[in-house]
Amino acid sequence: MSRTHWLKRFSPNSLVARTLLLTLLAVVCSQGVLTAIWYQKTKQDELSGIRDTSASMATMFASTVTFFQKLPIKYRHIVLDQIRNMGALVSSFHSIKKSSLLTRFQTRRLNWRLWSQ
């Protein structure tokens, strides 16, 4: 009995109140659906951008590695020094080594990979 009493108490009695309630319900539902669609689209766009950026960076890294691999071993240190003097990315690797973010083993391994290939 309390359920029917509660339903009667809060149900809209006039036509204007019912119309307003249905309009509000439609607006809330459409807002929820559109928010879900917008969220999915934004997420998809961000993932696509991340994929494109990652592919571009991977291509650039691969071309850099290929460049150093094609150099004769005698000239690699000269080219690396020239690039460091120009302040390129290699200098930031050098500063990372100095700041001890990489262990000695990792830096030796990195140097070995650069010089042995």
Side-chain angles (χ1 to χ4, degrees), residues 82-110:
Q82 288 174 347
I83 293 173
R84 283 185 186 133
N85 288 337
M86 290 188 305
L89 182 64
V90 178
S91 66
S92 66
F93 286 142
H94 188 65
S95 65
I96 288 174
K97 290 180 198 175
K98 284 185 175 179
S99 66
S100 300
L101 290 176
L102 295 173
T103 64
R104 288 183 182 181
F105 175 73
Q106 288 172 327
T107 54
R108 286 183 194 148
R109 193 169 163 195
L110 180 65

Side-chain angles (χ1 to χ4, degrees), residues 52-66:
D52 293 343
T53 304
S54 299
S56 175
M57 288 178 66
T59 303
M60 290 180 357
F61 289 149
S63 67
T64 303
V65 169
T66 304

Side-chain angles (χ1 to χ4, degrees), residues 1-11 13:
M1 185 160 184
S2 65
R3 186 181 227 183
T4 57
H5 176 67
W6 182 82
L7 210 65
K8 285 181 183 178
R9 184 174 176 197
F10 288 109
S11 65
N13 294 329

Side-chain angles (χ1 to χ4, degrees), residues 3-117:
R3 186 181 227 183
T4 57
H5 176 67
W6 182 82
L7 210 65
K8 285 181 183 178
R9 184 174 176 197
F10 288 109
S11 65
N13 294 329
S14 68
L15 182 61
V16 173
R18 282 184 241 156
T19 305
L20 183 64
L21 183 65
L22 286 175
T23 304
L24 185 64
L25 184 65
V27 167
V28 168
C29 288
S30 65
Q31 185 70 31
V33 169
L34 290 175
T35 300
I37 292 170
W38 173 79
Y39 176 76
Q40 289 296 330
K41 177 68 175 151
T42 304
K43 186 177 178 182
Q44 183 182 14
D45 289 346
E46 286 181 13
L47 289 176
S48 175
I50 290 170
R51 248 183 258 116
D52 293 343
T53 304
S54 299
S56 175
M57 288 178 66
T59 303
M60 290 180 357
F61 289 149
S63 67
T64 303
V65 169
T66 304
F67 170 75
F68 281 109
Q69 286 177 346
K70 288 182 179 179
L71 283 176
I73 294 176
K74 294 178 186 178
Y75 298 111
R76 287 183 185 171
H77 69 283
I78 296 170
V79 173
L80 282 172
D81 286 339
Q82 288 174 347
I83 293 173
R84 283 185 186 133
N85 288 337
M86 290 188 305
L89 182 64
V90 178
S91 66
S92 66
F93 286 142
H94 188 65
S95 65
I96 288 174
K97 290 180 198 175
K98 284 185 175 179
S99 66
S100 300
L101 290 176
L102 295 173
T103 64
R104 288 183 182 181
F105 175 73
Q106 288 172 327
T107 54
R108 286 183 194 148
R109 193 169 163 195
L110 180 65
N111 287 334
W112 179 81
R113 284 184 183 167
L114 281 175
W115 298 116
S116 66
Q117 297 177 352

